[in-house]
Amino acid sequence: MTILANILIIFFIVVGLVFIVVTAIGLFRLPDLYTRTHAASKSATLGVMCILIGVFLHFWLIENHFNPAILLGVLFLFITGPVGGHIMSRSSYIAGVKPWSGTVRDDLKPEIERMKKEQGIK
Amino acid sequence: MKTNDVILQFTAKIVFFIIFFYAVHIFFAGHYTPGGGFVGGLVTSSAIVLLIIAFDLKTVKSILPINYLYLVAVGLLLALGTAAFSMFVGEPFFTHFFDYFNLPILGKTSLHTAALFDLGVYLVVVGVTMTIIQTIGDDE
């Protein structure tokens, strides 16, 4: 039983670690801010959530200590991580950060123009 | 430029309650585990700051119509009152009392007057932090 529990815990922690390494590689390799935000907000959130679930299972199954605060942390990260990425990339778009030169489609640009025209800016 | 921030506002509405109830948990857990009045107060004020970021100062003032300076005064009075209470029953200043009570739902619970002192610390920390942030954020 302990072996099964350990396998489960190691699986979750290893998956989380792999996702965090993928995040770091993505932050180095990707060309512009928007693709980097994509890498950082998605896979880092999933990685940290997996590690937290592994820690939760370790304390629950091995040490017999049920800690709901870790589950709350998983829920909190699941809600706030993507919203943080969204706010960062949106504010940098509005501040004028140019996307990568290979971008073929920009749906937000006409929308921002329309909003500026409605509010009478420029 | 005024932008559309539905996602931030909706998330802030939900996350506010998670942060606030976690702060209450930290406050009550302070006697036996890490936590207490100071951290609980800071977490509570960070939840209110999240509301201020997502909405604006006027909206949050109408949601929580509290003058935070009074909150500081009430917290200090509470802390002083708990500390001075023991002088009236012939014990030195700052002597705390505790006993076990059988509460209706919670069962056997130990109640300690240090929790009231901690409540004073909590109110002072929330009041001071929110006063600082409102004063800095409000000047025009």
Side-chain angles (χ1 to χ4, degrees), chain B residues 4-136:
Chain B
N4 178 3
D5 44 5
V6 179
I7 295 178
L8 180 61
Q9 293 185 346
F10 187 75
T11 316
K13 277 179 205 164
I14 296 171
V15 164
F16 172 78
F17 289 102
I18 298 180
I19 301 177
F20 180 70
F21 287 123
Y22 190 60
V24 173
H25 166 75
I26 286 178
F27 172 74
F28 281 113
H31 201 73
Y32 294 109
T33 50
F38 186 76
V39 192
L42 280 181
V43 173
T44 309
S45 47
S46 77
I48 303 174
V49 168
L50 176 69
L51 279 188
I52 293 181
I53 290 172
F55 298 91
D56 58 352
L57 212 54
K58 262 185 202 153
T59 321
V60 176
K61 267 183 186 168
S62 66
I63 296 171
L64 298 167
I66 306 166
N67 188 346
Y68 291 103
L69 285 175
Y70 290 149
L71 212 60
V72 176
V74 169
L76 285 175
L77 278 179
L78 197 61
L80 185 66
T82 351
F85 173 72
S86 54
M87 291 170 76
F88 294 104
V89 290
E91 298 279 338
F93 187 61
F94 252 119
T95 310
H96 284 298
F97 306 98
F98 72 97
D99 205 351
Y100 293 95
F101 294 96
N102 275 314
L103 296 179
I105 299 168
L106 300 171
K108 189 183 171 194
T109 318
S110 77
L111 296 180
H112 201 296
T113 49
L116 287 176
F117 183 78
D118 230 17
L119 185 65
V121 175
Y122 177 88
L123 293 178
V124 170
V125 170
V126 172
V128 168
T129 319
M130 293 316 297
T131 310
I132 291 172
I133 287 166
Q134 281 193 346
T135 320
I136 294 174

Side-chain angles (χ1 to χ4, degrees), chain A residues 72 75-76 79-80 83 86-87 90 94 115-116 119 121, chain B residues 1-5 7-8 11 14-15 18-19 22 25:
Chain A
L72 200 67
L75 180 71
F76 189 81
I79 297 174
T80 54
V83 175
H86 163 78
I87 294 296
R90 190 182 170 91
I94 292 172
M115 232 188 305
K116 276 185 179 172
Q119 297 173 10
I121 299 169
Chain B
M1 186 171 83
K2 181 144 176 45
T3 52
N4 178 3
D5 44 5
I7 295 178
L8 180 61
T11 316
I14 296 171
V15 164
I18 298 180
I19 301 177
Y22 190 60
H25 166 75

